[in-house]
Amino acid sequence: MSACSSSRAPLILALVAACTVADEARRTGAAAAATLVTLTATDYAFEAPDTNEAGFTTFELVNNGNQFHMGQLMRLEGGKTLDDFLVAYNEAFRTSGPRPKWATRLGGPGVADPHGRSNATHYLEPGNHTWICLMNVPGGIPHVVKAGMAKPFAVRPRNREAALQTAPEPGVIIQLVDYGFSISAPLTAGRHLIRVENAGAEPHEVSLLKLAPGKTMQDLEGWMQNPQIPPPANSAGGVSSLAANTEAYFEVDLTSGDYVLLCFVTAPDGRSHTEHGMIQHIRII
Ligand SMILES: [Cu+2]
């Protein structure tokens, strides 16, 4: 039953308003808002709902920890559970072997500074999912391996037509390729809703950093070689690793200064995508 056909009297006024918004969205092509869900990170655990409905969902990562954290969204195929994933992933990490093929990377809110935030919007399909934190600085061991930083959740089916009405309307598109970023229009100061599409063959992410005043790309490269020193940049958001042919959205508020787009995914040759050239400086004026 759709909300508009409900006969429950006390809800009628609220539903009239809801239908008006939905009708407006259909008529003008404007999007109703995606469902908003908070993903809270601490050192080293996630808090998030056990279930979500299918459809467009905005996840806001709230980092209450003293470390950097990120949310990597994984879809677990074939009825696999978080326990199955942790066993397989820990073994793959220990042996530098292949990651489990039944776990698909679907993005998620990118790196958030300690006590910072980031966001990502996704179309969720029904099935088993989990959050994991792959942040590995300092020390090189991802938090999911170091401390089991993960949180499983299930996605329940929902009317697809209704779910599609909340599709975000991006202003800018960033395509991820092997190995680089293609930006559809110059980014400017202000708020942007950005769609991120992985058009490459490998998984990719987009991590957006803002260089601290007076810091340079050389300072950033020095920090990447030695992440024990304080970073010369702050995280400005982004989307965690996306499998080939998947997409996500994130919202960012840009201010004038120097930003860097990076992808830290590891290539089949064992080197970081940044070493393959997936690092791009942009100046916002
Ligand atoms: Cu990449």
Side-chain angles (χ1 to χ4, degrees), residues 96 99 105 136 178-179 202-205 224-225 263-279:
S96 298
R99 297 336 191 212
R105 300 175 181 210
N136 66 350
D178 311 335
Y179 298 96
E202 292 185 35
H204 294 291
E205 67 180 349
M224 284 158 55
Q225 302 297 322
C263 176
F264 290 107
V265 170
T266 303
D269 66 4
R271 296 195 299 154
S272 164
H273 285 187
T274 56
E275 293 175 64
H276 284 277
M278 240 175 140
I279 175 167

Side-chain angles (χ1 to χ4, degrees), residues 123-168:
Y123 190 89
L124 297 176
E125 299 279 2
N128 287 355
H129 295 74
T130 189
W131 293 108
I132 59 173
C133 182
L134 294 175
M135 198 66 220
N136 66 350
V137 292
I141 301 180
H143 292 169
V144 65
V145 174
K146 176 191 173 99
M149 189 170 173
K151 168 77 175 94
F153 67 96
V155 177
R156 295 189 306 261
R158 174 182 169 205
N159 177 289
R160 194 172 177 87
E161 195 185 339
L164 283 172
Q165 286 202 357
T166 60

Side-chain angles (χ1 to χ4, degrees), residues 111-261:
V111 175
D113 287 338
H115 305 283
R117 288 170 183 240
S118 67
N119 69 83
T121 299
H122 296 272
Y123 190 89
L124 297 176
E125 299 279 2
N128 287 355
H129 295 74
T130 189
W131 293 108
I132 59 173
C133 182
L134 294 175
M135 198 66 220
N136 66 350
V137 292
I141 301 180
H143 292 169
V144 65
V145 174
K146 176 191 173 99
M149 189 170 173
K151 168 77 175 94
F153 67 96
V155 177
R156 295 189 306 261
R158 174 182 169 205
N159 177 289
R160 194 172 177 87
E161 195 185 339
L164 283 172
Q165 286 202 357
T166 60
E169 299 230 326
V172 174
I173 298 169
I174 298 180
Q175 275 199 339
L176 312 175
V177 297
D178 311 335
Y179 298 96
F181 302 97
S182 167
I183 308 175
S184 66
L187 286 165
T188 52
R191 294 194 84 80
H192 297 276
L193 180 64
I194 299 173
R195 180 158 76 211
V196 181
E197 304 173 347
N198 184 356
E202 292 185 35
H204 294 291
E205 67 180 349
V206 55
S207 187
L208 187 60
L209 299 181
K210 185 176 190 190
L211 291 174
K215 297 296 182 181
T216 64
M217 290 297 283
Q218 286 67 38
D219 294 320
L220 182 64
E221 277 157 20
W223 175 76
M224 284 158 55
Q225 302 297 322
N226 177 21
Q228 307 290 339
I229 62 175
N234 290 312
S235 179
V239 170
S240 302
S241 181
L242 288 160
N245 299 313
T246 62
E247 64 180 37
Y249 304 77
F250 74 107
E251 195 179 44
V252 67
D253 191 5
L254 300 173
T255 52
S256 64
D258 290 293
Y259 287 80
V260 189
L261 299 168

